[in-house]
Amino acid sequence: DAGVIQSPRHEVTEMGQEVTLRCKPISGHNSLFWYRQTMMRGLELLIYFNNNVPIDDSGMPEDRFSAKMPNASFSTLKIQPSEPRDSAVYFCASSRPTGGITEAFFGQGTRLTVV
Amino acid sequence: KQEVTQIPAALSVPEGENLVLNCSFTDSAIYNLQWFRQDPGKGLTSLLLIQSSQREQTSGRLNASLDKSSGRSTLYIAASQPGDSATYLCAVNERSYIPTFGRGTSLIVHP
């Protein structure tokens, strides 16, 4: 398996533009996570899907952020409109919880810069 | 709410030293604990996973221990090398199956 695949790897956009980040989890994994990493706050969970259903979105900062998982092999995180404070590295991770074993695997991340 | 703390935040050592990185968590009702490595500008690579019923796991020069009752885990790196330079993060998994991360320990091993 190629692991968790994220695209794009880097994104530079102007304030106010819409940004869409994409993630393909590992085949067979039924849990998917979106995290944001900044120097100030470290790794923060944004949203967690299980079997394509959003279970916990309490970490989504505000209504400008939305996430979807239309099927087991694809998820998107959208920011509209984007702001400079959204600049961060966004990670997608997947796992397959089985009997308490929840080893998470991460993608390479998308480095977002909003100018 | 689970809180994960890693000490020290940064560490700089000469090559060859044996190292101990610490991770503590506030709620001991965890399923497992995972140690990750993150290189600058890269994603997270899983190093070791310790189940709540286990006390330690080993992989090469790495050994991770878990004391669930006291809410602590340590990552031991033997005979450190410059290639070990990276940020090391620990994450705990609870009933929610959502990994909660510490802020990491930034390690520099100089030749």
Side-chain angles (χ1 to χ4, degrees):
Chain A
D1 200 307
V4 178
I5 299 173
Q6 291 186 244
S7 64
R9 290 293 311 276
H10 303 274
E11 178 80 33
V12 180
T13 191
E14 291 185 348
M15 183 173 63
Q17 296 299 305
E18 177 180 297
V19 175
T20 299
L21 312 181
R22 297 174 177 78
C23 175
K24 182 182 185 328
I26 292 173
S27 178
H29 283 193
N30 60 350
S31 290
L32 184 139
F33 312 87
W34 282 100
Y35 285 87
R36 177 171 67 177
Q37 187 177 41
T38 61
M39 289 291 292
M40 291 293 293
R41 302 170 71 92
L43 267 167
E44 303 174 278
L45 177 73
L46 299 177
I47 189 167
Y48 159 53
F49 290 90
N50 184 253
N51 293 324
N52 312 338
V53 177
I55 303 299
D56 184 346
D57 65 354
S58 58
M60 297 286 264
E62 46 197 275
D63 292 345
R64 297 184 298 105
F65 285 69
S66 63
K68 294 182 180 179
M69 192 164 186
N71 57 61
S73 59
F74 184 66
S75 177
T76 59
L77 177 67
K78 185 178 293 186
I79 307 173
Q80 165 64 18
S82 57
E83 298 182 3
R85 61 193 168 119
D86 301 331
S87 297
V89 181
Y90 291 80
F91 287 104
C92 176
S94 70
S95 71
R96 185 177 60 188
T98 306
I101 299 175
T102 55
E103 186 170 10
F105 295 86
F106 278 70
Q108 291 296 298
T110 295
R111 182 173 296 276
L112 173 65
T113 303
V114 183
V115 298
Chain B
K1 180 184 172 184
Q2 178 77 266
E3 292 184 6
V4 180
T5 304
Q6 292 188 245
I7 295 173
L11 189 60
S12 179
V13 299
E15 181 177 7
E17 278 203 7
N18 300 323
L19 309 171
V20 175
L21 308 183
N22 297 293
C23 173
S24 61
F25 45 95
T26 53
D27 187 343
S28 61
I30 65 169
Y31 275 157
N32 54 51
L33 183 145
Q34 200 168 352
W35 282 94
F36 292 87
R37 169 185 173 137
Q38 184 176 27
D39 292 285
K42 303 291 186 183
L44 281 69
T45 301
S46 180
L47 296 174
L48 290 163
L49 175 73
I50 311 179
Q51 294 298 104
S52 60
S53 59
Q54 298 175 318
R55 295 200 54 93
E56 64 180 286
Q57 280 284 349
T58 297
S59 176
R61 294 182 295 106
L62 304 180
N63 175 277
S65 67
L66 174 64
D67 184 344
K68 201 175 84 160
S69 60
S70 68
R72 295 177 188 273
S73 175
T74 60
L75 179 66
Y76 178 82
I77 304 175
S80 58
Q81 303 171 358
D84 295 330
S85 299
T87 296
Y88 292 82
L89 299 107
C90 74
V92 298
N93 292 299
E94 303 168 89
R95 292 185 182 277
S96 62
Y97 297 121
I98 299 173
T100 301
F101 282 85
R103 294 297 300 273
T105 293
S106 177
L107 172 66
I108 296 175
V109 181
H110 47 87

